[in-house]
Amino acid sequence: MRALVIGGGVIGSAIAWRLAGAGVKTRVYDRGQLGEESSWAAAGMLGPQAEAEGPGALVNLCLAGLDALNGVYRRLLDESGVNPEYDRAGLLWVALDNAERAELEARLRWQRDAGFKLEELTGAQARELVPALSAEVTYALRFAGEGVVDNRKLTEAYIQAAIRAGAEFCACSAVEGIVARAGRVAGVRLSDGTLQEADVVVNSAGCWASGIKGCAADGVSIRPVRGQILCFDAPADALKHAILSPRGYIVPRRSGRLLAGTTSEEAGYDKSVTLDGVARIASGARSLVPALGALPLRQAWAGLRPAAPDYMPVIGPSPTLAGLYYATGHYRNGILLSALTAEVIAGLIAGRTPSLDLSSVSPARFSADGAKR
Ligand code: GLY
């Protein structure tokens, strides 16, 4: 079997690793450099519970996503030779005033009602874990077992493991459209006009997924949602836990660098960093960790989160074209869901029935007969 994967980000690379490992002849095309869009721009938080806004299909999928990553992580390290610096120290949500505390208590209630585990901390207990936290933190929630990964290294790990398993990667090779013959996929047409034949095609082109010609009948519409990030130099171990709050988040890297985020903006495909974005992130981050105000600001960047209209990922077979699969629309959860998405897509291509209920992420929800259009 020959598979072509459109998009060499964290999702496409993870899929290529699983497909090539299963003996599928796999080639990945990326319109630019591999892994240099949202996979590069992300902060790398692995917080299915910490990032959940409420009970339902998304948090359940994200929990399965973390399990899937935990399940393959050791093998990924061994097969890639790349260490993505996965740190499971736990994530902390903190409150600096009564309104924020009420928001956290509401999170605590629905998560406990759903049977999830999380701990309540006083401000002093939170500062014992993270001494750099503001003296104004009065209350916190701790999500043990959640953590962070270096998303750029994770993407590189999938790429290297996929290459070692036999996959080919073609950077700067844009796919113009899907080519179909007799009602099923026959390959892709590249922007240089060449036809590349395949038995299956996976559209994992992130927020460029709906621009691929030949997919329109499925009604999958993915748009970019910009997120800006600031990066500070800090001594190694300045922060041992990633911190979230209604004012933003701060994520430590092992090197000591601290990433502060973020914005959520409808700015089309514009990856500019703006003064408003920087000001908002900086003020939120400094209120959480006052010492940040004196640290060197090393870099700022913006990335484009791929979002479907309902903000749920799009994972599964095309309802109209046999041999075409989607793995896109991961919005805020692409890093977290990479291993699970790859497992699901590789399983579907191999003809296995997924053990998860995939109805909430099915591409069929957008087609003419779908309920959510
Ligand atoms: N998952 C964090 C973000 O999208 O900013």
Side-chain angles (χ1 to χ4, degrees):
M1 181 185 287
R2 291 160 307 169
L4 298 180
V5 178
I6 311 172
V10 72
I11 300 293
S13 306
I15 292 169
W17 175 46
R18 296 302 295 252
L19 287 177
V24 177
K25 197 167 159 37
T26 304
R27 188 182 294 158
V28 180
Y29 291 107
D30 195 285
R31 55 192 289 286
Q33 299 299 332
L34 303 175
E36 289 204 352
E37 288 295 346
S38 21
S39 314
W40 179 91
M45 249 184 304
L46 300 174
Q49 280 181 236
E51 290 214 75
E53 295 301 333
L58 183 60
V59 65
N60 294 339
L61 188 76
C62 289
L63 285 164
L66 187 59
D67 284 347
L69 186 60
N70 287 337
V72 297
Y73 188 71
R74 188 68 249 171
R75 184 153 71 83
L76 180 62
L77 229 75
D78 292 344
E79 293 187 16
S80 66
V82 177
N83 182 354
E85 299 180 3
Y86 181 8
D87 188 333
R88 302 174 211 209
L91 299 179
L92 273 190
W93 255 96
V94 303
L96 284 104
D97 59 32
N98 288 340
E100 290 178 6
R101 181 178 178 136
E103 196 180 318
L104 263 61
E105 285 170 342
R107 276 175 191 270
L108 178 77
R109 275 194 300 278
W110 78 253
Q111 296 220 357
R112 289 213 167 138
D113 288 349
F116 300 161
K117 288 199 170 67
L118 67 167
E119 269 172 77
E120 278 182 289
L121 303 179
T122 62
Q125 287 169 325
R127 273 184 296 279
E128 262 171 48
L129 286 176
V130 182
L133 268 184
S134 161
E136 286 174 35
V137 169
T138 56
Y139 178 77
L141 297 177
R142 176 160 194 257
F143 300 85
E146 303 200 336
V148 297
V149 70
D150 184 323
N151 37 286
R152 297 176 190 175
K153 291 181 180 167
L154 182 69
T155 308
E156 186 57 23
Y158 284 129
I159 293 170
Q160 291 307 326
I163 290 171
R164 289 182 185 190
E168 284 177 65
F169 283 79
C170 305
C172 303
S173 298
V175 169
E176 194 179 276
I178 312 287
V179 177
R181 209 175 288 137
R184 66 162 297 125
V185 149
V188 300
R189 175 91 49 204
L190 299 183
S191 58
D192 66 6
T194 56
L195 168 68
Q196 305 293 330
E197 305 228 350
D199 304 297
V200 296
V201 172
V202 182
N203 185 346
S204 51
C207 58
W208 288 271
S210 34
I212 305 291
K213 289 182 188 154
C215 299
D218 292 337
V220 174
S221 157
I222 306 293
R223 71 179 201 287
V225 178
R226 184 168 72 188
Q228 302 187 37
I229 299 259
L230 306 184
C231 173
F232 297 88
D233 276 333
D237 280 345
L239 216 61
K240 287 207 173 111
H241 295 68
I243 301 160
L244 300 96
S245 100
R247 300 161 195 242
Y249 55 70
I250 306 179
V251 175
R253 288 277 178 263
R254 268 192 205 163
S255 60
R257 264 176 232 165
L258 298 178
L259 308 187
T262 185
T263 57
S264 213
E265 303 163 84
E266 300 290 341
Y269 288 85
D270 178 356
K271 287 189 286 180
S272 302
V273 171
T274 64
L275 186 57
D276 279 353
V278 170
R280 200 163 348 126
I281 295 166
S283 122
R286 190 165 51 180
S287 66
L288 299 173
V289 173
L292 216 59
L295 293 179
L297 174 57
R298 181 191 179 94
Q299 215 184 344
W301 62 80
L304 304 175
R305 304 178 184 94
D310 59 3
Y311 298 97
M312 289 292 287
V314 182
I315 305 170
S318 158
T320 64
L321 188 60
L324 173 63
Y325 295 81
Y326 291 91
T328 183
H330 290 76
Y331 188 46
R332 303 186 80 114
N333 299 300
I335 308 299
L336 175 62
L337 294 177
S338 55
L340 180 69
T341 303
E343 186 184 310
V344 166
I345 293 290
L348 288 169
I349 289 172
R352 289 193 292 275
T353 306
S355 51
L356 281 175
D357 173 9
L358 295 175
S359 51
S360 62
V361 297
S362 166
R365 70 192 192 269
F366 303 112
S367 61
D369 301 331
K372 292 194 180 170
R373 193 137 190 219

